[in-house]
Amino acid sequence: MSTDGEGNRRAGVAGLQSCGSPWACPVCARKIAAQRSDELRDVLAAVAEAGGSVHMLTLTMRHHRGQTLGELWRALSKAWRAVTSGRAVERERERFGVLGMVRVIEATHGEHGWHLHVHALVAFDGPVSRELAEVLGSDMFGRWERALLRAGLAAPLEDRGGLDVRPVDLGAGSIDAVAEYLSKITIEITGGTLKEGRRGNRPPFALLADALADGNADDCERWLEWEQASRGRRQVAWSQGFREWAGMRREQTDEEIAAEDQGGTDTIAVEPEDWPELRPQLAEWLDVAERDGVEAASAWLTVRRIGWARVDRPPRR
């Protein structure tokens, strides 16, 4: 257990081999999300200090039940490259004063199959009105839509959910909220692992929880598809030079973050023979530990008859 710079608890698990997946591993995903959240917070603070502004753009695409996750993800990747490359991007940098962008992908599954869309923070070198940001967003959406059409897909109409542009408040509390939201939206670990999304859509870890709970073959297949399609893909992507502008260190890979010892204090040891019982409920347990503390986490284990012991060793270095 450790605390961040704001005094918030952070819970993790030690003594396990890391895989480095921000998508399919509840242990590594939480650790990677914490690091990415810190990075997002730092870059937003840098924009605020420089007198800039930020808007969040959301780009979506149409989908249907017969499309595979891999097919949709490949189309999304092509569309995002069209949004962020070419001469139009350089012209937009000059016209709008764009400092850089950070992109995060959100994924859910529902009645109509897999649903992927992009959230992007766009930073400007000065104050930019929502109206002007919407002009930029419309230009970006045009490239997004054309690329999807070339890939055999389509985007919803721009004014019917295909594009959403919202200003980001760069006050201290808002920076924290946006950073946490974007760093966790793709993994749905903290505060939402088992909750359904809008219109009954389920995030990936909810699929896993349901598959483990009832053994439903469809949910098992969907989770396997998720593991395979997400493998090796980046959770958070930065536009070229944006991190350097913000004075940030070299970006660590997901694998490097997962393998790094973040320090903290060991507080609870779970009996090895009880690990298989805890593993499918790990995200929920860590949520309890972060929200309510060690005593609540201990009680949670006791109620479920999972063997544990208090250790409270000195902080690991």
Side-chain angles (χ1 to χ4, degrees):
M1 183 81 72
S2 63
T3 56
D4 62 18
E6 304 298 321
N8 300 311
R9 298 187 192 95
R10 284 185 174 172
V13 181
L16 298 176
Q17 183 176 359
S18 64
C19 66
S21 172
W23 307 103
C25 172
V27 176
C28 292
R30 181 180 291 267
K31 192 172 182 181
I32 293 165
Q35 174 71 19
R36 299 305 185 203
S37 178
D38 288 343
E39 293 173 348
L40 288 167
R41 188 179 291 105
D42 289 344
V43 77
L44 289 171
V47 174
E49 185 176 354
S53 59
V54 175
H55 284 72
M56 185 164 73
L57 277 61
T58 301
L59 300 165
T60 64
M61 59 186 184
R62 290 177 181 169
H63 60 100
H64 58 76
R65 194 173 185 83
Q67 293 169 312
T68 67
L69 178 58
E71 174 188 359
L72 293 171
W73 216 320
R74 287 190 293 273
L76 180 146
S77 297
K78 291 178 181 178
W80 183 247
R81 282 197 296 272
V83 169
T84 57
S85 60
R87 294 180 180 177
V89 175
E90 294 303 317
R91 291 195 295 268
E92 288 166 354
R93 284 181 178 271
E94 293 292 328
R95 179 184 177 189
F96 296 97
V98 177
L99 295 171
M101 291 187 289
V102 187
R103 181 226 69 195
V104 172
I105 297 174
E106 182 175 12
T108 58
H109 188 279
E111 180 182 356
H112 301 293
W114 289 102
H115 178 49
L116 297 177
H117 54 274
V118 164
H119 298 283
L121 291 179
V122 184
F124 302 90
D125 60 8
V128 169
S129 68
R130 182 169 185 163
E131 290 73 21
L132 190 58
E134 287 175 344
V135 172
L136 172 61
S138 182
D139 291 346
M140 294 169 66
F141 183 84
R143 299 196 295 276
W144 169 265
E145 184 177 36
R146 290 190 292 273
L148 288 176
L149 290 172
R150 289 194 296 270
L153 279 76
L157 295 176
E158 182 178 336
D159 59 353
R160 295 185 181 178
L163 171 69
D164 183 65
V165 180
R166 300 185 183 188
V168 174
D169 182 356
L170 293 182
S174 297
I175 285 178
D176 290 342
V178 171
E180 292 293 317
Y181 173 73
L182 286 178
S183 69
K184 294 168 183 173
I185 197 169
T186 55
I187 55 173
E188 295 292 344
I189 283 288
T190 306
T193 307
L194 305 180
K195 294 179 182 177
E196 288 191 349
R198 288 167 296 181
R199 300 179 184 177
N201 286 351
R202 291 178 293 170
F205 277 94
L207 286 174
L208 176 60
D210 290 344
L212 293 170
D214 56 28
N216 182 279
D218 288 340
D219 285 341
C220 292
E221 289 181 6
R222 293 182 189 114
W223 175 257
L224 290 174
E225 183 182 11
W226 169 254
E227 280 191 326
Q228 293 166 1
S230 64
R231 185 177 298 127
R233 297 188 182 275
R234 298 186 68 184
Q235 179 191 43
V236 178
W238 302 77
S239 60
Q240 186 175 3
F242 192 25
R243 290 176 61 94
E244 290 76 9
W245 172 87
M248 300 170 65
R249 65 175 183 173
R250 177 190 70 84
E251 183 180 7
Q252 292 179 288
T253 66
D254 293 333
E255 291 79 7
E256 288 173 334
I257 294 172
E260 189 174 62
D261 190 340
Q262 301 293 327
T265 302
D266 294 330
T267 56
I268 299 173
V270 175
E271 299 295 340
E273 59 269 23
D274 288 310
W275 170 245
E277 178 69 21
L278 174 61
R279 182 170 52 196
Q281 307 176 76
L282 180 62
E284 181 183 347
W285 181 53
L286 293 176
D287 283 341
V288 170
E290 287 189 348
R291 184 181 63 246
D292 302 321
V294 175
E295 295 302 326
S298 302
W300 187 96
L301 294 171
T302 299
V303 167
R304 289 159 181 78
R305 298 182 179 178
I306 297 174
W308 63 276
R310 285 291 296 269
V311 289
D312 292 333
R313 298 174 189 146
R316 290 178 284 111
R317 300 299 182 186

